């Protein structure tokens, strides 16, 4: 194999965008490695629409969105797509070991982009007591079964968690002729986007039970039902109000976790808030030459953002492989009040004139009338008013490099979301 | 003497508030039989334990019923009297004990049949225990549990070597947190010495050098260095496969419904799938050993199920588990978690537990909120830096088959010649299994079974090492041989398609998703199968020639999918053909 300049691990919406950006930034040989037998990742099983509004200006299905990227990839001979290939290990020098049906091999590319995406929290990570029968599926597994394998996970389902995939699966099950008893959400607010609550639940008369959880899983062989109960403000179930719902299927949409086993193996530092690599504005991780993009960094709510952020990683990897480095120290970005997660966690200096910094953050609580602030000590560098901020909806800011003029390596900035003072008339 | 036992027990019943119920107590030669009705299941268990705890009581049959919370009704499947085979020995139950006995018997010129009601071996307590090969430290010296534990531990490493099963020695440390409790360690050490096992009393410095992550407030510990870990279901599978290689026959999904006799000797074992003629039968039915025994006559013992819950943690959090640890005071104080500890499985995952809860339903393998909380509360203080809750990847429960004397009951039936009970095999049943098999062979010989060694017996059984553990060169050699070695299906545990296919075609075939999981680890990683299930299922269905809708998680009734979707490619094919 000729020397690979950039290896991208994962050919989902992140990896495809990263590979394109790497090639377009001048990398001669980009290897796009995908464990499934085709590129596209989770997009392939997302037959609903809503993808691509930001990038393509129209609402596409998952496979259509993937197809658009694949068409571009096919036009670039610099990108080689290697499907059916699993990366088994990654080292801190960027060398990796992979295996496919033709053999096992090692390679040491000039730079690596991590684009492994995320995985779903299981029933066990959500610590739901009870038996372990057949009929418990994560929403993503159920989606794959129905949309790709053509198999029904069951006929009468309870859905725990109102994350976007849970909401979409509620509708999907109804469309396939199954019953959905209801969606139960432990928080007092839905976990998914408002549009999905409306289009997937309200439009299909599926009840949404907020501040509720599943307290016990019944059934020794196949699921026979679940117990559900309301929860108090601390999220503890009120067992005296527990009730039994007969059903044969429990679908879980209880959170996504960035998939960072390879990152950890390479010694990449993981941020405790995002559970993904700590990155700078180039999506460079703590290990030189290893970049990360997409849901492996943090779980985005729109695929367009996944691809955009990963494109930055791809471009940066190409520049790194070509010898480009930022050598001016780092600005630290710290989470302040009401910020539950933020990417990037640092800025590498120097900043280029006219460079725009993409800052993504999530608030800890829902607020009406809020302002996002970036401060250096008491000095407010940036302030943006928001009519409403909600934890499920990520805030995306594009900041001008000029904001950071005068700051040097080691300086720390704090980002916070504060209530906007209401002016009395 | 006999009057004394009954009087004593009446007094104990009165002290424990059981005298308000009309309970009958019969005693004969140290065998107690209890009957009557109480309000709750806990009282049934209490009465049994009060009887079983008396000195000079050798066995307890507890027929007390509970008005509430008793075992669920059981309906046996219809038996099929058609004779479909005969054997020199029929073993009922393919847990680790039944499989070990089958394998030891397969050394001889004998026809051996093993009957298992579930869809795989090791479906009861043998798959759902902590994998600990106990040293014998905590067993009552002189009990059968103690003797067979110590002997089993001696035999264990050799068995694992012959059968290619993982076996890792690791220190068990029983610790105390207070100076005033150090004397308890002295007592425990003395107990270990009485049982003839190596024990060592150590101070906090030595313990910290063995495992620095343990709580620095620990004041001392007794170490039992012969303690070890194995994989309990892999051992059972290995015993079964080796028995099969040496001529034994295993019948899965086959439930015994009756035992028939001729002139006081066993003659026929009837199952839902046909009957077997035999002169010797081993009752190794675990939590159902009592039900089997009653097919031969009046009950000789009563099994009371005791559930144990276990938590498995992510391998990435393995630091801190170099020593198995448990607190001696907790062992004494909390009857619901008297055993167990913090340990690391042979697959590298930290594991805490088990708990101990008396349950009436022998199939109550549910994990409760209370059980999880108790495990974390009990073992958390041993390792203050371990964030247990966020490292959980799975939890499960097994049910121990305990008698009320809390000892193994391994003896010929008093009612039916040729029937041998191997019952009450609770902890340390795994550690004792090789020794139990040895003892059962002696009993069979004593009962007249001719044990004539066969020259062709092969004690060795081999398993391919996991593909992911091989060198690049070896991996490439295998992929050239079969490209399916290069197709990784389970991303967490790096299991390949070929390894799954192999598991489906071994001498004891895997028939269910869980059986494949136990053999390959596909689905045992941190995602718990949400990624690989849709990929593994079609492979199993293809290899077994099953329609996917018939594929089960753990046998009939646990079907994974309800039907094809309306747009399925399958239907199109059917339409076109």
């Amino acid at each position: 194999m000729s020397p690979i300049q950039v290896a991208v691990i994962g050919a989902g919406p992140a990896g495809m965008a990263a590979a394109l950006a790497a090639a377009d930034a001048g990398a001669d040989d980009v290897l796009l490695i995908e464990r499934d037998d085709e590129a596209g990742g989770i997009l392939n099983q997302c037959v609903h629409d809503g993808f691509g509004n930001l990038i393509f200006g129209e609402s596409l299905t998952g496979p259509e969105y993937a197809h658009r990227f694949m068409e571009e990839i096919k036009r670039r001979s610099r990108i080689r797509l290697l499907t059916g290939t699993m990366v088994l290990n990654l080292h801190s020098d960027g060398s990796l070991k992979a295996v496919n049906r033709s053999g096992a091999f090692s390679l040491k590319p000039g730079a690596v982009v991590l684009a492994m995406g995320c995985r779903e929290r299981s029933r066990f990570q959500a610590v739901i007591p009870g038996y372990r029968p057949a009929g418990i599926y994560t929403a993503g597994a159920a989606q794959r079964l129905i949309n790709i394998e053509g198999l029904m996970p069951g006929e009468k389902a309870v859905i725990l968690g109102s994350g976007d995939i849970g909401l979409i699966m509620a509708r999907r099950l109804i469309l396939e002729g199954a019953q959905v008893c209801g969606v139960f959400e432990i928080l007092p607010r839905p976990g998914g986007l408002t549009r999905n609550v409306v289009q997937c639940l309200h439009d299909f008369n599926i009840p949404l039970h907020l501040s509720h959880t599943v307290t016990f899983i019944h059934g020794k062989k196949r699921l026979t039902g679940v117990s559900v109960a309301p929860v108090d403000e601390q999220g503890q179930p009120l067992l005296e109000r527990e009730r039994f719902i007969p059903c044969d299927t429990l679908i879980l949409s209880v959170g996504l976790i960035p998939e960072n086993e390879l990152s950890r193996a390479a010694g990449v530092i993981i941020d405790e808030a995002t559970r993904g690599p700590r990155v700078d504005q180039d999506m460079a991780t703590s290990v030189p030459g290893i970049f990360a993009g997409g849901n492996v960094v943090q779980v985005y709510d729109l695929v367009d953002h996944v691809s955009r952020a990963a494109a930055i990683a791809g471009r940066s990897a190409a520049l790194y492989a070509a010898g480009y480095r930022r050598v001016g120290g780092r600005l630290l970005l710290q989470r302040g009040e009401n910020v539950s997660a933020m990417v990037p966690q640092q800025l590498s200096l120097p900043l280029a004139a006219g460079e725009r910094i993409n800052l993504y953050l999530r608030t800890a609580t829902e607020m009406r009338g809020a302002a996002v602030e970036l401060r250096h000590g008491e000095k407010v560098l940036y302030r943006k008013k928001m009519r409403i901020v909600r934890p499920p909806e990520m805030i995306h800011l594009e900041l001008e490099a000029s904001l950071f003029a005068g700051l040097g390596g080691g300086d720390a900035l704090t980002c916070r979301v504060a209530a906007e003072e209401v002016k009395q008339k | 003497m006999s009057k004394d036992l009954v009087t004593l027990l009446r007094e104990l019943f009165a002290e424990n508030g059981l005298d308000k119920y009309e309970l009958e107590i019969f005693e004969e030669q140290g065998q107690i039989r209890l009957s009557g009705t109480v309000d709750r299941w806990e009282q049934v268990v209490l009465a049994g334990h009060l009887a079983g705890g008396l000195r000079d009581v050798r066995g307890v049959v507890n027929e007390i019923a509970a008005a509430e919370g008793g075992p669920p009704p059981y309906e046996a499947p219809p038996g099929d009297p058609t004779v479909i085979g005969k054997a020199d020995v029929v073993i009922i139950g393919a847990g680790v004990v039944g499989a070990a006995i089958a394998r030891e018997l397969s050394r001889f010129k004998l026809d051996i049949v093993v009957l298992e009601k579930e869809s795989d071996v090791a479906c009861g307590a043998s798959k759902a225990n902590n994998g600990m090969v106990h040293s014998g430290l905590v067993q009552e010296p002189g009990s059968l549990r103690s003797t067979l534990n110590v002997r089993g531990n001696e035999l264990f490493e050799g068995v694992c070597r012959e059968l290619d099963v993982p076996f890792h020695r690791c220190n068990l440390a029983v610790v105390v947190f207070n100076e005033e409790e150090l004397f308890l360690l002295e007592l425990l050490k003395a107990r270990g010495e009485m049982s003839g096992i190596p024990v060592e009393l150590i101070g906090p410095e030595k313990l910290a050098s063995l495992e620095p992550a343990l709580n620095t407030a620990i004041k001392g510990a007794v170490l039992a260095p012969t303690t070890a870990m194995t994989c309990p279901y892999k051992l059972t599978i290995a015993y079964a496969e080796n028995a099969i290689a040496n001529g034994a026959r295993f019948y899965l999904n086959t439930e015994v419904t009756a035992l028939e006799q001729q002139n006081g000797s066993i003659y026929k074992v009837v199952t839902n799938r046909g009957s077997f003629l035999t002169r010797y039968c081993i009752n190794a039915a675990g939590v159902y050993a009592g039900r089997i025994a009653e097919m031969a006559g009046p009950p000789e013992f009563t099994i009371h199920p005791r559930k144990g819950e276990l938590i498995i943690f992510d391998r990435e959090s393995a630091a801190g588990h170099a020593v198995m640890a448990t607190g001696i005071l907790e062992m004494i104080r909390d009857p619901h978690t008297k055993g167990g500890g913090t340990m690391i499985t042979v697959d590298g995952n930290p594991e805490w537990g088990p708990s101990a809860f008396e349950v009436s339903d022998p199939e109550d393998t549910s994990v409760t909120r209370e059980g999880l909380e108790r495990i974390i509360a009990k073992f958390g203080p041993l390792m203050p830096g371990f964030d247990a809750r966020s490292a959980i990847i799975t939890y499960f429960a097994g049910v121990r088959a305990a008698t009320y004397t809390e000892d193994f009951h391994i003896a010929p039936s008093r009612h039916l010649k040729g029937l041998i009970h191997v019952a009450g095999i609770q902890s340390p049943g795994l550690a004792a299994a090789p020794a139990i098999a040895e003892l059962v062979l002696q009993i069979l010989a004593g009962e007249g079974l001719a044990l004539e060694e066969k020259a062709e017996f092969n004690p060795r059984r081999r398993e391919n090492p996991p593909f992911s553990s091989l060198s690049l060169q070896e991996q490439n050699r295998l992929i050239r041989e079969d490209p399916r070695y290069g197709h990784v299906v389970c991303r967490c545990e790096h299991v390949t398609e070929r390894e799954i296919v192999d598991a489906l075609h071994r001498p004891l075939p895997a028939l269910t998703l869980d059986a494949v999981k136990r053999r390959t680890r596909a689905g045992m990683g941190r995602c718990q199968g949400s990624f690989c299930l849709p990929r593994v299922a079609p492979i199993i269905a293809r290899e077994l020639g099953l329609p996917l809708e018939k594929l089960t998680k753990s046998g009939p009734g646990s079907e994974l999918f309800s039907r094809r979707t309306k747009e399925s490619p399958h239907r199109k094919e059917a339409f076109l053909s």
Side-chain angles (χ1 to χ4, degrees):
Chain A
M1 241 178 227
S2 64
I4 305 292
Q5 287 187 321
V6 175
V8 179
I9 306 175
M16 293 189 297
L20 281 175
D24 291 350
D28 282 332
D29 198 350
V30 177
L31 188 65
L32 178 55
I33 306 173
E34 168 56 41
R35 63 184 161 211
D36 248 323
D37 286 333
E38 57 181 333
I42 212 74
L43 289 166
N44 294 330
Q45 66 187 53
C46 297
V47 299
H48 55 284
D49 71 346
F51 301 94
N53 284 313
L54 300 181
I55 290 181
F56 299 110
E58 57 183 311
S59 182
L60 306 173
T61 64
E64 285 171 329
Y65 183 95
H67 182 74
R68 298 255 176 129
F69 275 86
M70 275 314 297
E71 289 297 296
E72 290 298 315
I73 285 171
K74 282 182 196 156
R75 283 197 202 107
R76 287 165 180 76
S77 57
R78 293 167 168 195
I79 304 176
R80 282 192 291 151
L81 172 65
L82 202 54
T83 56
T85 305
M86 176 84 185
V87 176
L88 298 175
N89 208 352
L90 177 66
H91 299 280
S92 57
D93 65 355
S95 64
L96 57 86
K97 183 184 171 188
V99 63
N100 61 28
R101 292 180 183 87
S102 310
F105 59 92
S106 294
L107 62 92
K108 189 176 181 315
V112 172
V113 178
L114 306 172
M116 291 88 74
C118 55
R119 67 164 183 272
E120 300 176 278
R121 286 176 81 216
S122 72
R123 161 266 168 111
F124 301 103
Q125 285 161 327
V127 199
I128 309 169
Y131 287 88
R132 303 192 302 156
I136 305 168
Y137 295 96
T138 60
Q143 189 179 45
R144 164 121 196 159
L145 289 171
I146 296 180
N147 294 346
I148 307 258
E149 309 295 338
L151 288 165
M152 286 301 285
E155 298 300 321
K156 190 175 181 190
V158 160
I159 297 180
L160 177 64
S162 58
D164 288 309
I165 330 172
L167 300 175
I168 284 161
M169 285 315 294
R171 175 177 65 184
R172 194 78 191 92
L173 284 161
I174 296 277
L175 293 175
E176 286 294 340
Q179 263 180 283
V180 177
C181 307
V183 176
F184 294 81
E185 168 60 56
I186 193 165
L187 295 175
R189 56 176 182 270
L193 300 173
T194 306
R195 72 169 195 218
N196 282 331
V197 175
V198 174
Q199 294 171 10
C200 300
L201 301 189
H202 296 179
D203 291 357
F204 290 84
N205 291 320
I206 299 169
L208 171 62
H209 304 273
L210 297 173
S211 299
H212 272 72
T213 194
V214 171
T215 50
F216 201 84
I217 292 171
H218 302 265
K220 290 170 184 169
K221 289 288 186 179
R222 174 85 198 192
L223 188 77
T224 55
V226 294
S227 294
V228 296
V231 297
D232 63 18
E233 281 167 14
Q234 282 74 48
Q236 292 303 308
L238 303 165
L239 293 176
E240 64 280 7
R241 290 170 62 193
E242 195 174 58
R243 66 190 168 97
F244 177 77
I245 303 180
C247 58
D248 67 4
T249 307
L250 174 63
I251 304 280
L252 298 169
S253 175
V254 289
L256 299 168
I257 305 169
E259 181 127 301
N260 277 291
E261 282 63 48
L262 288 174
S263 324
R264 286 196 186 87
V268 166
I269 295 172
I270 303 296
D271 183 71
E272 62 177 33
T274 59
R275 302 188 70 169
R278 293 177 64 87
V279 290
D280 67 5
Q281 76 273 31
D282 298 328
M283 306 308 282
T285 69
S286 62
V287 175
I290 299 183
F291 298 79
N295 283 344
V296 77
V297 174
Q298 63 171 338
V299 179
Y300 293 84
D301 41 54
L302 290 179
V303 74
D304 301 65
H305 287 306
V306 166
S307 297
R308 279 186 174 169
I312 296 172
R315 178 173 176 277
S316 306
L319 294 175
Y320 183 93
Y324 175 84
R325 305 285 186 276
R326 297 204 199 233
V327 291
R330 283 170 175 174
L331 283 180
L332 299 178
L333 297 179
Q334 294 169 335
R335 284 183 287 130
E337 181 190 337
N338 243 324
V339 176
S340 65
M342 183 170 63
V343 168
Q345 294 87 355
Q346 57 201 21
L347 301 181
S348 293
L349 302 174
L351 302 179
E355 182 176 349
R356 298 177 80 83
I357 313 287
N358 284 283
L359 190 69
Y360 290 91
L361 56 105
R362 265 185 212 284
T363 60
T365 57
E366 180 168 323
M367 293 164 82
R368 280 176 189 280
V372 184
E373 280 181 3
L374 194 60
R375 289 173 175 239
H376 178 233
E378 289 306 300
K379 189 180 165 201
V380 178
L381 301 181
Y382 175 89
R383 182 178 170 89
K384 184 182 181 184
K385 292 182 186 176
M386 312 279 291
R387 195 174 59 81
I388 182 166
V389 292
R390 296 181 61 234
E393 283 157 26
M394 190 172 261
I395 299 168
H396 175 212
L397 306 173
E398 256 194 23
L399 307 176
E400 308 269 351
S402 58
L403 281 179
F404 306 96
L407 297 172
D411 280 342
L413 307 178
T414 305
C415 184
R416 64 176 204 148
V417 180
E420 175 76 333
E421 287 160 35
V422 180
K423 288 198 179 122
Q424 299 292 325
K425 280 182 185 169
Chain B
M1 173 75 192
S2 60
K3 198 174 180 184
D4 287 345
L5 268 182
V6 174
T7 313
L8 211 52
L9 192 52
R10 287 262 175 234
E11 284 168 17
L12 282 174
F13 278 8
E15 278 171 34
N16 287 278
L18 294 172
D19 52 339
K20 66 173 172 175
Y21 305 104
E22 281 184 29
L23 300 180
E24 290 186 67
I25 307 174
F26 297 94
E27 190 271 342
E28 194 182 350
Q29 294 179 340
Q31 299 289 332
I32 302 255
R33 191 158 71 81
L34 306 172
S35 59
T37 302
V38 293
D39 288 322
R40 301 187 318 275
W41 179 254
E42 301 88 83
Q43 296 168 317
V44 174
V45 177
L46 175 64
H49 269 145
L50 290 172
L54 289 174
R55 192 202 291 268
D56 300 327
V57 166
R58 296 192 296 115
V60 176
V61 171
N62 187 353
E63 296 186 312
I64 299 174
E68 257 179 58
Y74 172 76
E75 213 176 303
D80 179 352
T82 318
V83 174
I84 57 169
K86 59 181 192 176
D88 296 311
V89 184
V90 169
I91 298 166
I92 304 171
V96 68
V97 169
I101 295 168
R103 189 265 186 164
E104 292 310 311
L105 283 173
S106 73
R107 295 172 184 276
F108 307 100
K109 293 181 180 166
L110 294 170
D111 252 347
I112 300 144
V113 160
V114 183
L115 306 176
E116 170 55 52
K117 77 180 177 68
E118 297 296 326
S119 56
D120 193 9
V121 302
C123 276
S126 301
K127 80 165 190 295
N129 63 79
N130 61 8
M132 192 164 166
V133 183
H134 297 260
S135 61
L137 175 65
V138 300
Q139 303 303 332
E140 177 86 34
S143 64
L144 199 50
R145 280 167 83 185
S146 170
T147 315
L148 293 176
N149 185 167
V150 175
R151 175 66 180 150
N153 186 293
E154 283 168 15
L155 294 170
F156 222 96
E157 190 167 9
V159 168
C160 289
R161 206 179 302 124
E162 281 183 339
L163 299 179
D164 199 11
V165 172
F167 176 89
H168 301 162
R169 291 245 186 243
C170 46
N171 275 304
L172 169 75
V174 181
V175 308
V176 296
F177 281 88
N178 293 301
E179 304 274 355
E180 311 84 79
E181 294 154 11
L182 285 168
F183 79 97
L184 290 170
L185 295 183
E186 297 280 0
L187 293 177
L188 187 61
K189 178 168 176 269
R191 180 180 249 209
E193 282 164 351
M194 270 176 77
S195 302
I197 60 167
V199 277
E200 190 187 345
L201 194 57
I202 62 163
E205 302 78 24
K206 170 99 190 264
L207 187 62
S209 73
L210 293 171
E211 178 46 77
L214 287 176
N215 196 328
T216 50
I218 291 171
K219 294 291 185 293
V222 167
L223 280 191
T226 51
T227 312
M229 290 294 287
T230 188
C231 176
Y233 46 83
K234 283 215 164 151
L235 176 66
T236 310
I237 291 166
Y239 263 136
E241 286 187 352
N242 188 238
I244 291 168
N246 288 298
R249 286 170 291 155
F250 278 65
Y251 292 80
L252 301 175
N253 296 313
T254 304
E255 180 168 351
V256 173
T257 58
L259 301 177
E260 289 181 15
Q261 57 172 311
Q262 238 178 20
N263 309 322
S265 290
I266 187 143
Y267 157 71
K268 194 174 177 187
V269 180
V270 184
T271 80
N272 59 331
R273 296 176 59 194
S275 299
F276 297 84
L277 301 179
T278 189
R279 287 181 54 225
Y280 294 92
C281 178
I282 311 292
N283 172 12
V287 287
Y288 294 112
R291 192 187 286 168
I292 298 295
E294 284 175 45
M295 294 175 188
E300 297 175 45
F301 52 84
T302 299
I303 301 293
H304 59 103
R306 185 163 57 231
K307 178 161 80 175
E309 295 145 297
L310 283 148
I311 308 178
I312 302 277
F313 301 100
D314 197 308
R315 230 179 249 154
E316 277 173 358
S317 61
H321 291 79
V323 172
M324 291 185 202
T326 193
I328 196 166
L329 271 192
E330 288 74 10
M331 265 161 97
I332 300 166
R333 271 191 204 134
D334 186 349
H336 295 301
T337 55
K338 59 186 167 188
T342 65
M343 62 208 85
I344 191 153
T345 68
V346 289
D347 298 300
N349 297 88
E351 177 186 34
W352 289 12
S355 62
F357 287 91
E358 298 290 341
V359 290
S360 60
D361 177 359
E363 291 184 3
D364 180 352
T365 53
S366 66
V367 172
T368 62
R369 196 174 297 275
E370 187 191 4
L372 292 173
E373 292 303 328
R374 276 182 194 258
I375 291 169
I376 292 173
K378 180 185 177 189
F379 300 117
L382 292 168
M383 222 174 288
F386 185 78
D387 181 6
R389 270 168 234 276
S390 68
I392 293 177
I393 63 168
T394 191
Y395 38 81
F396 55 85
V399 182
R400 306 168 179 92
T403 62
Y404 283 107
T405 49
E406 297 293 340
D407 202 356
F408 297 160
H409 178 109
I410 303 174
S413 160
R414 288 200 291 271
H415 309 296
L416 187 54
K417 186 165 163 47
L419 174 65
I420 317 293
H421 298 307
V422 186
I425 311 298
Q426 54 162 305
S427 174
L430 175 65
I436 292 172
E438 216 177 47
L439 175 60
V440 169
L441 257 58
Q442 286 170 22
I443 294 174
L444 282 169
E447 294 289 301
L449 179 68
L451 298 176
E452 193 184 334
E453 287 193 20
K454 64 186 180 203
E456 68 275 23
F457 173 72
N458 178 6
R460 284 164 62 86
R461 169 251 180 208
R462 282 293 165 265
E463 189 172 296
N464 294 332
F467 179 82
S468 60
S469 70
L470 301 175
S471 71
L472 199 69
Q473 290 73 19
E474 290 172 299
Q475 289 182 335
N476 274 316
R477 185 181 60 76
L478 288 175
I479 294 170
R480 274 194 299 276
E481 196 179 285
D482 184 345
R484 291 177 297 181
Y485 273 116
H487 179 209
V488 178
V489 177
C490 166
R491 68 182 176 187
C492 299
E493 299 293 310
H494 294 173
V495 181
T496 68
E497 180 180 351
R498 170 61 195 258
E499 290 172 287
I500 290 167
V501 170
D502 283 349
L504 294 164
H505 299 298
R506 288 188 70 89
L508 179 76
L511 303 174
T512 65
L513 186 73
D514 281 355
V516 168
K517 178 169 94 170
R518 285 190 285 274
R519 285 158 179 80
T520 64
R521 290 191 62 74
M524 276 198 187
R526 51 182 67 87
C527 92
Q528 288 289 301
S530 70
F531 177 83
C532 67
L533 168 103
R535 291 158 174 86
V536 173
I539 297 173
I540 301 177
R542 179 191 77 206
E543 296 293 319
L544 298 181
L546 271 176
L548 268 160
E549 305 91 290
K550 299 267 185 245
L551 186 63
T552 67
K553 179 176 186 287
S554 57
S558 66
E559 283 70 22
L560 286 160
F561 316 115
S562 55
R563 60 178 156 94
R564 294 270 170 185
T565 58
K566 54 184 176 284
E567 305 248 326
S568 111
H570 231 68
R571 286 204 172 190
K572 275 184 202 153
E573 280 164 25
F575 185 72
L576 291 172
S577 62

